[in-house]
Amino acid sequence: MADAVWIRGMDRSELTALTEVMLYSGEVLNHSEIPGKKVDKHSTGGIGDKTSLILAPIVAAGGLTVPMISGRGLGHTGGTLDKLEAIPGFNVNLSLNEFRRVLRECGMGLIGQTAEIGSCRQEIYALRDVTSTVENIGLICASIMSKKLAEGIDALVLDVKTGSGAFMKKEADSIRLAEVMVDTGSAWAKSRRAHHRHGSTARPHGRPFERSRRVYRGPQSRGPADLRELSLELSAWMFYLGERTKSVEEGRHLAETMIVGGQGSKNSGREFGCKVETSASLTSRNACPSRA
C-alpha cells in the first residue's frame, strides 16, 4: 500500500478516507472533564529538533492543557519518544487513564501511541520507515492528523520543516504539506483551530544533537538563541490559538514570562524543563508545573 501511494499519490477523498481509517482504528480522546482549552504542537521533524520538551511545560504553566501523543523517529530523524527514553526510568507507555490523570494534575502529558490509540497508525508508521516511503505528503498528513485529531485538542500548531535535515527538501513541498494538513484538520473538526509555520533544518537547532544531550540541554532557559526563539514562537501561537491571549505578541510575552519567572517561582530554566520528565513518568504531584 505504501509503495502504491508513493507511486500514484492520493487525491483529497482518498486522503480523507485514509485519515478516517487511521483515526478510528483506536480510541478518540475527550477531555471535556478538564476545564479550558487543549492545545498541541507537531513538528514534521528534523535533526536536533527538541522544542516539545521546552514548550509543553511553558504552555501548561501558562494555563492551557497540552495532551501530547508523540512518535518515534522516522528515517534519519529522532522522535520525541526516542529522546525522552534517553532519560533513565522515563515512562512513555502510560495507559489512557494514567494519561488523563497526568493532564488533570499537571496540565500536560507526553506519551507514545498505544494499542488503545490508533493501532493501525502504528503499523503504517513502521511500514513507511522500512519501505522508504517516509517523505510522501499524503502518508505524512494522514499519520500526523489522525494522531492529533485523536488527542481531543481544540487547537494545533504545525511546525513544518524544510532543508537538508528534514523530510521536505524544498520549500514548495513544505508549504503544500502544511496546507494539506490544515485543510484535513479543518474538514474533520470545524471548531478546531490550526496554524502552520515553516522553518529550516539545514543545521540542528541548538548545539548538542546526540539523543540524550538533546533532552538535558534543550530545556535550559538560557540556551542557544535559535532554539529559544523557535520555542517562544511556537508557544506564542499555542497561547493565541488556545485563546489564552488575544494576540500572538501577547502570547510571546506570556511565554517569556513563564521562562524568566520559572513558572511564577524561582525555579531555574533547567528545573522548568525537568518537569516534563517527571510529569509524564507519574512521579509526585510536586513535580508538575505550577499553572498561571
Side-chain angles (χ1 to χ4, degrees):
M1 187 273 290
D3 284 337
V5 172
W6 180 268
I7 295 170
R8 300 184 61 86
M10 286 189 290
D11 61 27
R12 189 54 58 87
S13 64
E14 291 170 330
L15 177 56
T16 300
L18 178 60
T19 304
E20 179 179 14
V21 168
M22 295 173 72
L23 173 62
Y24 290 109
S25 66
E27 184 172 347
V28 178
L29 303 182
N30 184 322
H31 304 296
S32 57
E33 77 282 2
I34 302 175
K37 297 292 185 179
K38 293 81 185 176
V39 299
D40 191 12
K41 181 275 308 180
H42 181 84
S43 171
T44 56
I47 297 174
D49 187 3
K50 45 193 168 281
T51 54
S52 294
L53 310 183
I54 302 172
L55 61 83
I58 291 175
V59 175
L64 296 176
T65 299
V66 186
M68 189 173 287
I69 301 175
S70 300
R72 299 194 178 278
L74 279 176
H76 61 277
T77 66
T80 298
L81 296 186
D82 302 309
K83 301 182 187 75
L84 291 173
E85 287 184 333
I87 305 170
F90 193 98
N91 180 19
V92 299
N93 300 310
L94 306 183
S95 69
L96 292 186
N97 285 335
E98 290 172 326
F99 184 47
R100 292 185 179 100
R101 173 187 155 193
V102 170
L103 291 176
R104 288 193 301 269
E105 295 184 357
C106 304
M108 53 171 283
L110 292 87
I111 64 169
Q113 297 180 88
T114 70
E116 300 167 283
I117 306 175
S119 58
C120 171
R121 182 168 52 249
Q122 295 182 71
E123 294 174 3
I124 295 178
Y125 196 84
L127 182 65
R128 289 166 56 206
D129 200 21
V130 299
T131 57
S132 299
T133 55
V134 168
E135 299 172 13
N136 180 268
I137 287 178
L139 294 176
I140 293 173
C141 175
S143 176
I144 292 173
M145 296 311 298
S146 62
K147 178 174 65 178
K148 294 304 172 182
L149 290 170
E151 289 179 340
I153 55 176
D154 300 298
L156 175 66
V157 176
L158 294 163
D159 182 17
V160 183
K161 304 295 191 182
T162 307
S164 58
F167 297 138
M168 301 290 104
K169 311 303 181 188
K170 300 178 181 178
E171 185 175 3
D173 291 335
S174 295
I175 293 174
R176 182 182 168 214
L177 172 60
E179 291 174 345
V180 168
M181 288 194 291
V182 171
D183 289 346
T184 300
S186 299
W188 277 102
K190 301 295 184 183
S191 62
R192 290 189 175 96
R193 309 174 72 189
H195 168 75
H196 66 82
R197 53 91 60 195
H198 308 100
S200 171
T201 56
R203 62 183 181 83
H205 289 295
R207 291 186 292 270
F209 57 90
E210 298 90 339
R211 186 171 294 170
S212 60
R213 295 184 69 198
R214 289 185 202 172
V215 174
Y216 291 109
R217 291 292 297 274
Q220 292 181 350
S221 63
R222 295 185 178 180
D226 58 347
L227 178 60
R228 179 185 174 88
E229 176 61 30
L230 177 57
S231 300
L232 286 171
E233 179 184 352
L234 295 172
S235 298
W237 274 102
M238 292 174 74
F239 282 133
Y240 173 63
L241 293 181
E243 299 178 358
R244 180 65 177 82
T245 61
K246 296 181 179 180
S247 68
V248 178
E249 291 73 21
E250 186 180 339
R252 182 185 176 93
H253 177 71
L254 178 57
E256 291 174 334
T257 300
M258 292 299 101
I259 294 177
V260 174
Q263 305 154 287
S265 69
K266 296 183 178 181
N267 294 332
S268 68
R270 181 168 177 77
E271 290 170 333
F272 189 100
C274 286
K275 291 174 179 61
V276 179
E277 304 163 15
T278 53
S279 66
S281 56
L282 289 175
T283 58
S284 69
R285 179 177 296 195
N286 292 333
C288 300
S290 58
R291 309 188 71 181

